[in-house]
Amino acid sequence: MGASGGGVRKVVDCRVCGGTDWQEVVSFGPVPLANGFLDPTDSYDGEPYYPLGVISCRSCRLLSVTHIVDPEILYRDYPYVTSDSDTITRHMRYVADTCRERFGLSPGSFVVEVGSNTGSQLMPFQDAGMRVLGVDPARNLARVAAERGVETLPDFFSAETASAIARGHGRARLILARHVFAHIDHVAGVVQGVRGLLSEEGVFAVEVPYLLDLFGQNAFDTIYHEHLSYFSVGTLVSLFERHGMRLFDVERLAVHGGSILVFVQRDDGPWPVRPAVGELLELERRAELDGDAVYRDFALNVDRVRDELPALVRRLAAEGKRIAGYGASAKGNTILNVCGFRPGELEFCSDTTSLKQGKVLPGTHVPVCSPEYAKAHAPDYYLLLAWNYSDEILRKEAGFLSGGGRFIRPIPKPVVVSADAL
Ligand code: TYD
Ligand code: ZN
């Protein structure tokens, strides 16, 4: 293990309700950053490790990470590029169409995206003649977005940036925040900023991983330092209420292992509250998210994978099988590190992202290679670290499977997938 990193602090007050009565849920000990890819020439001795675990607020049932790493360390130079996979491209198109049709956006409407990455989600709006502005603190990504023609402010979104945007561009009809809200510590400031930037009929569309899917899929690998919060609809309703906003609709989505897209307006906004909100609140009541037991059960399911997955991989290796990783996802790094995989246990990890190729995975130092390299050196088994794209990947790798290759799907519990399972 490398050095224990500075720039980290323990969570004391709940970022949604201010409560301090926490239930301990899981604790993984010190873990390197899930997107902390290294160069093979780096000294691994200095690799920073930070404590990782989750706790549940007994007042509002926010599930929070135990320790917060300084966002300047996490995001200023960020290797995560929004995927251009079929699944995500289709999803972004769906989000754009839904928002346009439902909320009466038209050419000239102003659309802002928080955590806009390389601008892909804003492009369909821009193509439809709307004014768009991205906000993203990763300077490397903001530059790429600007080169692609999407105006992007290279900064963290806050109440201050929001009022500067309102002064410079006017109020927004739509503010998007896809898979970024869970990354934000000062949620109160962001929600206040959003409230000030929205026009009267404006909508804040927030997509986050869904707490019930985290439990249902046992997706503990989405627990890493970047994800500070895991939300239920109930917790989001109370968060927005505190800041003069109303959550009026919600959709469940399959992306990223199970997410919700919630629509929020100012409390003086015009949109009627849809039945889906009450339905999910009822589902959460029946799942007893307000009691301790469901969190204890989750911890047991996590422990089972932490035992069974390394045992399976080591048994196959002992039989002489060659094993590699498929998809150098942040989730995958979490699986490898919290399950205690060691350098050398995976021969390589294939990934389509050119920024990751040639690097090594954090903690396990497995070399990341291109799909072309992987194809030429196909192993016996791929550990499917990007399991959220399971369908797309199994379809793409039909040839590998029909040639006798196998996948290990790690979650919800480890299973081997061969051609006859298709
Ligand atoms: P992703 O799901 O985007 O998320 P996270 O890093 O938040 O866990 O990671 C998927 C990774 O898998 C990404 O680096 C791209 C890679 N990938 C492939 O290598 N091949 C594929 O066919 C797909 C769909 C993804
Ligand atoms: Zn709370």
Side-chain angles (χ1 to χ4, degrees), residues 35 48-49 61 88 98 105 108 126 136 147 170 196 199 219 229 238 256 266 301 305 319 322 337-338 341 397:
N35 276 309
Y49 277 63
R61 284 301 174 180
I88 294 296
T98 303
L105 303 184
Q126 182 153 281
D136 200 299
E147 281 161 14
S199 66
S229 304
S238 73
H256 290 301
R266 290 163 35 167
N301 292 334
V305 177
E319 290 168 10
R322 291 178 46 230
N337 287 313
V338 309
F341 281 96
E397 297 297 340

Side-chain angles (χ1 to χ4, degrees), residues 154-178:
D155 215 338
F156 291 100
F157 186 90
S158 64
E160 293 74 48
T161 32
S163 51
I165 294 169
R167 277 196 307 276
H169 298 258
R171 297 222 166 143
R173 279 297 307 272
L174 177 68
I175 302 178
L176 293 155
R178 290 197 44 245

Side-chain angles (χ1 to χ4, degrees), residues 35 80 83 85 224 256 326-331 350-353 356 386 388-389 392-393 396:
N35 276 309
Y80 181 90
S83 166
S85 71
Y224 48 89
H256 290 301
Y326 198 106
S329 58
K331 286 186 273 299
S350 164
D351 198 283
T352 47
T353 317
K356 296 181 184 174
N388 48 321
Y389 297 107
E392 181 174 342
I393 290 172
K396 193 155 81 178

Side-chain angles (χ1 to χ4, degrees), residues 340-372:
F341 281 96
R342 295 183 295 258
E345 292 195 277
L346 298 182
E347 203 173 301
F348 57 82
C349 183
S350 164
D351 198 283
T352 47
T353 317
S354 53
L355 277 173
K356 296 181 184 174
Q357 293 161 8
K359 305 234 171 204
V360 304
L361 301 185
T364 54
H365 309 148
V366 172
V368 183
C369 68
S370 66
E372 294 72 32

Side-chain angles (χ1 to χ4, degrees), residues 65-405:
V65 78
T66 52
H67 290 78
I68 302 207
V69 177
D70 182 350
E72 291 284 340
I73 297 175
L74 291 177
Y75 300 117
R76 278 303 187 186
D77 188 19
Y78 195 46
Y80 181 90
V81 180
T82 302
S83 166
D84 56 1
S85 71
D86 298 348
T87 317
I88 294 296
T89 308
R90 217 175 321 113
H91 175 62
M92 288 198 288
R93 167 69 52 193
Y94 171 79
V95 170
D97 290 347
T98 303
C99 292
R100 258 202 339 253
E101 286 159 19
R102 285 199 47 192
F103 306 125
L105 303 184
S106 53
S109 296
F110 182 40
V111 179
V112 175
E113 186 178 17
V114 181
S116 50
N117 205 271
T118 53
S120 303
Q121 178 68 76
L122 285 172
M123 282 183 172
F125 292 99
Q126 182 153 281
D127 291 345
M130 294 172 210
R131 294 182 295 127
V132 304
L133 178 69
V135 185
D136 200 299
R139 296 192 186 104
N140 57 327
L141 301 182
R143 213 168 28 240
V144 175
E147 281 161 14
R148 298 171 82 199
V150 177
E151 187 185 344
T152 303
L153 202 63
D155 215 338
F156 291 100
F157 186 90
S158 64
E160 293 74 48
T161 32
S163 51
I165 294 169
R167 277 196 307 276
H169 298 258
R171 297 222 166 143
R173 279 297 307 272
L174 177 68
I175 302 178
L176 293 155
R178 290 197 44 245
H179 292 278
V180 62
F181 209 59
H183 297 240
I184 295 169
D185 186 20
H186 192 40
V187 283
V190 169
V191 174
Q192 281 156 11
V194 164
R195 196 185 187 289
L197 179 55
L198 275 184
S199 66
E200 232 163 81
E201 72 285 48
V203 174
F204 184 34
V206 184
E207 188 178 311
V208 286
Y210 188 31
L211 187 63
L212 279 184
D213 290 316
L214 168 71
F215 293 163
Q217 301 240 29
N218 196 26
F220 69 89
D221 57 344
T222 61
I223 298 175
Y224 48 89
H225 299 100
E226 292 170 25
H227 292 162
L228 311 183
S229 304
Y230 304 80
F231 291 106
S232 61
V233 175
T235 303
L236 286 172
V237 166
S238 73
L239 166 65
F240 288 115
E241 260 172 12
R242 282 170 183 274
H243 301 287
M245 296 189 73
R246 184 177 306 119
L247 190 160
F248 66 92
D249 199 6
V250 52
E251 271 182 52
R252 284 185 85 166
L253 305 162
V255 285
H256 290 301
S259 305
I260 42 176
L261 176 59
V262 302
F263 298 104
V264 190
Q265 62 185 329
R266 290 163 35 167
D267 52 10
D268 56 355
W271 307 100
V273 178
R274 302 280 287 259
V277 178
E279 286 159 18
L280 282 189
L281 290 175
E282 174 59 19
L283 188 67
E284 294 174 3
R285 201 188 55 74
R286 276 189 273 124
E288 298 182 17
L289 290 185
D290 54 348
D292 282 5
V294 67
Y295 303 88
R296 276 200 302 268
D297 291 346
F298 170 63
L300 291 173
N301 292 334
V302 173
D303 280 346
R304 202 165 302 142
V305 177
R306 293 176 79 194
D307 290 339
E308 287 177 13
L309 184 64
L312 171 63
V313 168
R314 283 166 198 159
R315 180 169 60 71
L316 294 169
E319 290 168 10
K321 300 289 194 277
R322 291 178 46 230
I323 304 153
Y326 198 106
S329 58
K331 286 186 273 299
N333 287 323
T334 306
I335 294 198
L336 295 175
N337 287 313
V338 309
C339 290
F341 281 96
R342 295 183 295 258
E345 292 195 277
L346 298 182
E347 203 173 301
F348 57 82
C349 183
S350 164
D351 198 283
T352 47
T353 317
S354 53
L355 277 173
K356 296 181 184 174
Q357 293 161 8
K359 305 234 171 204
V360 304
L361 301 185
T364 54
H365 309 148
V366 172
V368 183
C369 68
S370 66
E372 294 72 32
Y373 175 94
K375 199 163 184 172
H377 300 82
D380 301 304
Y381 286 76
Y382 274 121
L383 178 54
L384 186 51
L385 296 171
W387 56 267
N388 48 321
Y389 297 107
S390 210
D391 293 347
E392 181 174 342
I393 290 172
L394 294 182
R395 235 181 293 124
K396 193 155 81 178
E397 297 297 340
F400 168 73
L401 284 161
S402 62

